[in-house]
Amino acid sequence: MTAALLDALQDELNAVEAFTEVLEQEEAALIDGNLMAVLPGIVERKTDLTEKLSVFGKQREAALAQMGLPANREGMTSAIGTDESLSTAWKALLTSAERARARNVTNGLLIKTRMDYNHQALIALRLAAGAPAIYGPDGRLPMSMQSR
């Protein structure tokens, strides 16, 4: 039964590492500014890997259930307590998942920075063209346009 759990952990680890590679490609595209050229492929791969991660997570949970353990962290703690190979695989998965999470946060910040820059550029262009002020969804002028 531990073989099924070990296989599920390895599949999940491989998927998380592949997901991290896609996030690295996304980060490079965000920094280089050529996101639109690679965005469709990135979105497709991220979607595919997210689906795979869900399947592999369910396989892990099913393997834990077959071992009579709860399908959660406590179940994994019980399972790895008796098997060094499971412990090693679980630690590798947690480490890889943390790297992916951190990379995803970085990409989110890069996207927000790019969106803020684009927003400010649009405001500047509108002001330069003498366009009327545009109110935001909250019914107020953006701070940068209130000094007008």
Side-chain angles (χ1 to χ4, degrees):
M1 285 191 255
T2 60
L5 181 56
L6 187 58
D7 289 344
L9 288 172
Q10 190 59 52
D11 289 342
E12 201 169 1
L13 175 61
N14 292 339
V16 169
E17 288 175 347
F19 193 80
T20 302
E21 288 176 17
V22 173
L23 291 172
E24 289 169 357
Q25 293 167 4
E26 181 181 55
E27 179 181 357
L30 286 164
I31 291 170
D32 294 341
N34 69 343
L35 187 61
M36 296 312 292
V38 296
L39 184 62
I42 288 172
V43 169
E44 185 178 328
R45 287 200 61 217
K46 283 173 72 173
T47 300
D48 180 52
L49 288 166
T50 300
E51 291 170 1
K52 286 180 180 180
L53 283 166
S54 177
V55 168
F56 297 144
K58 289 177 184 173
Q59 288 174 351
R60 176 175 35 86
E61 291 171 355
L64 285 169
Q66 287 177 343
M67 296 171 70
L69 298 170
N72 56 26
R73 280 189 182 255
E74 290 77 25
M76 278 304 304
T77 301
S78 296
I80 65 175
T82 60
D83 189 316
E84 184 62 31
S85 60
L86 287 176
S87 177
T88 300
W90 179 244
K91 288 175 186 173
L93 177 59
L94 292 178
T95 300
S96 187
E98 177 55 29
R99 276 196 322 270
R101 186 203 64 75
R103 178 80 58 190
N104 199 45
V105 167
T106 298
N107 288 359
L109 292 171
L110 287 169
I111 290 167
K112 182 182 180 330
T113 299
R114 185 171 292 274
M115 287 176 60
D116 289 347
Y117 172 81
N118 288 342
H119 178 73
Q120 292 302 318
L122 283 172
I123 289 171
L125 288 171
R126 285 184 181 133
L127 289 174
I134 298 176
Y135 292 90
D138 61 356
R140 299 186 317 177
L141 285 173
M143 290 301 289
S144 60
M145 293 184 79
Q146 290 181 5
S147 63
R148 211 178 156 197

